Amino acid sequence: MIASYNKEHVGDVLLVELSTEPAVKTIVDRRGDVAILTEEATSEVKGFNLFNASEKMNLDSVVGNIDITKEFVQSLEKALTEADVQIDLHVDFSPKFVVGHVVEIEKHPNADKLHITKVDVGEAEPLQIVCGAPNVAQNQKVVVAKVGAVMPSGMVIKESALRGVDSFGMLCSARELAIPNAPQVKGILVLEDSAQVGTAFKA
């Protein structure tokens, strides 16, 4: 789940995205203060907009992307119930920025400056991530932004294909993570060898 709110520029509307996969054609079903966006071909709910949101939830001082906590989801579920709208909110609360270990690396067949990496993030299988950083190397401990992560810039990490190769996350630089006094040069942030794979990264 990805949620954002910007009353000054968008109005009193909470925007909620339930899928990182792009919609082909959506149908909008307005039910009171809730507009449900559904994929026409599959009937999958891709997201919804909650109007007059500040009357239903505590959104004081919120501008931009919202940190998805259990408390936020509970408030959102209550607002939907009061609007007589049933949407299953299956939320993954696992950390989206984690320590990864680059276990494999090879050159991208269609791009000189890109590499295809396999990165262990503590899951059953390593993630395949295409990376263009000049300093990426095998056996590094790195910061991985998993699919669904929201970068400090507001960019959402989604499954993608770079020059024909699927990529399921991003290896992050200190600058992209908005770490204070981060070097303004190209290159991922390389962590100490003692960093534990799969644990949440905190700047």
Side-chain angles (χ1 to χ4, degrees):
M1 175 191 293
I2 299 166
S4 62
Y5 181 79
N6 191 325
K7 189 172 184 178
E8 180 179 356
H9 295 287
V10 181
D12 193 8
V13 185
L14 178 69
L15 309 176
V16 180
E17 185 177 351
L18 298 177
S19 173
T20 58
E21 297 178 0
V24 177
K25 184 177 180 181
T26 55
I27 298 173
V28 180
D29 178 16
R30 180 72 183 260
R31 304 181 190 177
D33 279 341
V34 181
I36 305 170
L37 290 78
T38 304
E39 178 69 67
E40 184 180 45
T42 63
S43 298
E44 178 189 1
V45 176
K46 290 289 189 176
F48 59 91
N49 299 339
L50 178 65
F51 296 88
N52 300 311
S54 65
E55 299 175 7
K56 304 169 177 63
M57 304 176 65
N58 181 10
L59 296 170
D60 294 342
S61 303
V62 174
V63 179
N65 292 310
I66 297 173
D67 185 24
I68 306 299
T69 63
K70 292 181 180 180
E71 291 75 19
F72 172 78
V73 173
Q74 289 172 351
S75 296
L76 190 55
E77 288 175 333
K78 180 181 178 182
L80 291 173
T81 299
E82 291 175 348
D84 199 24
V85 172
Q86 292 186 341
I87 299 176
D88 290 330
L89 302 180
H90 299 294
V91 182
D92 177 10
F93 291 106
S94 65
K96 296 299 182 288
F97 294 91
V98 299
V99 175
H101 176 218
V102 181
V103 293
E104 293 181 25
I105 183 170
E106 61 180 277
K107 289 186 177 181
H108 193 297
N110 303 316
D112 292 339
K113 295 184 179 180
L114 296 179
H115 289 86
I116 304 169
T117 67
K118 295 291 181 64
V119 186
D120 178 11
V121 293
E123 299 178 355
E125 297 291 336
L127 297 178
Q128 177 170 286
I129 299 176
V130 178
C131 178
N135 65 327
V136 63
Q138 191 170 4
N139 289 326
Q140 287 174 333
K141 296 289 184 66
V142 295
V143 181
V144 177
K146 298 167 64 177
V147 171
V150 181
M151 303 298 293
S153 65
M155 179 179 71
V156 179
I157 303 302
K158 301 182 179 182
E159 295 180 14
S160 61
L162 299 177
R163 295 289 186 92
V165 176
D166 291 336
S167 184
F168 302 92
M170 187 174 82
L171 307 187
C172 303
S173 70
R175 178 172 53 85
E176 290 165 333
L177 294 167
I179 294 175
N181 303 313
Q184 301 299 304
V185 295
K186 290 184 178 180
I188 57 173
L189 175 62
V190 179
L191 304 175
E192 298 289 337
D193 287 341
S194 58
Q196 187 175 348
V197 170
T199 59
F201 172 79
K202 298 186 182 299

